[in-house]
Amino acid sequence: QTLRWEVEDKTGLNHCQFSLDGSELFTGGLDGCIRVWSTADGKLLREHDASADNAPATAVYAFVLSRDGKFLAWCGRTGGLLPSHIVIAKANTLEVLHRIPAHDADGRILAAYPGGFCSGSVDRTVKFWDWQTMQPESAISCELDDPEGTAEL
């Protein structure tokens, strides 16, 4: 079965991910909005409208669901401000819980691991975060003159 639906976002989609049970598809784009769609019929179930926030919008370059499906984190470019932020929300409501100043350049990638997630940035760092404390556990950086990188714990 193939589903096709139109999105009003004119900036395009950058990322998508299925919910743990496959019943929902999360999408995000440069407009800073996260949308959740039913995979059964393509209907929009809920949306985080970045323009409704009192904070600068973070264009969605990447996002990740926590391994238990309770949280969603997204990163990208935060309204041209530095540091760029990682936004943490409840997956079932898209209510924003935290905005974490994370990197000195645009965030580009997120990946979940048991108990946390990592974020990668154009600033050549990868940071490892705890879902509960929202604090970095460690970081890896790679400078041009140090191709092997350095780790900070």
Side-chain angles (χ1 to χ4, degrees):
Q1 176 184 10
T2 301
L3 288 178
R4 179 186 168 122
W5 57 92
E6 300 296 323
V7 180
E8 291 183 22
D9 167 28
K10 304 291 188 252
T11 63
L13 299 177
N14 281 351
H15 195 81
C16 63
Q17 183 177 348
F18 287 101
S19 61
L20 297 178
D21 65 4
S23 66
E24 298 177 336
L25 178 67
F26 290 75
T27 62
L30 294 179
D31 63 352
C33 294
I34 298 286
R35 295 176 177 91
V36 184
W37 309 88
S38 166
T39 57
D41 58 16
K43 289 185 180 173
L44 180 63
L45 300 174
R46 57 192 176 279
E47 176 180 21
H48 166 76
D49 182 357
S51 65
D53 280 350
N54 292 330
T58 297
V60 179
Y61 290 175
F63 61 82
V64 67
L65 285 164
S66 61
R67 293 222 170 169
D68 61 8
K70 293 181 181 178
F71 301 104
L72 177 73
W74 65 88
C75 68
R77 177 170 291 170
T78 305
L81 303 176
L82 291 177
S84 68
H85 292 179
I86 296 172
V87 181
I88 309 294
K90 293 180 182 178
N92 64 344
T93 63
L94 300 182
E95 173 192 353
V96 173
L97 301 172
H98 303 283
R99 291 181 183 279
I100 306 168
H103 290 279
D104 292 333
D106 297 348
R108 290 293 173 100
I109 191 165
L110 294 167
Y113 62 87
F117 63 97
C118 64
S119 61
S121 170
V122 176
D123 68 5
R124 292 190 166 98
T125 61
V126 175
K127 294 184 179 182
F128 298 85
W129 305 86
D130 180 279
W131 281 113
Q132 299 305 314
T133 66
M134 300 302 157
Q135 297 296 314
E137 297 176 328
S138 61
I140 299 170
S141 64
C142 182
E143 300 299 326
L144 292 176
D145 59 351
D146 182 14
E148 294 183 18
T150 57
E152 300 171 15
L153 302 176

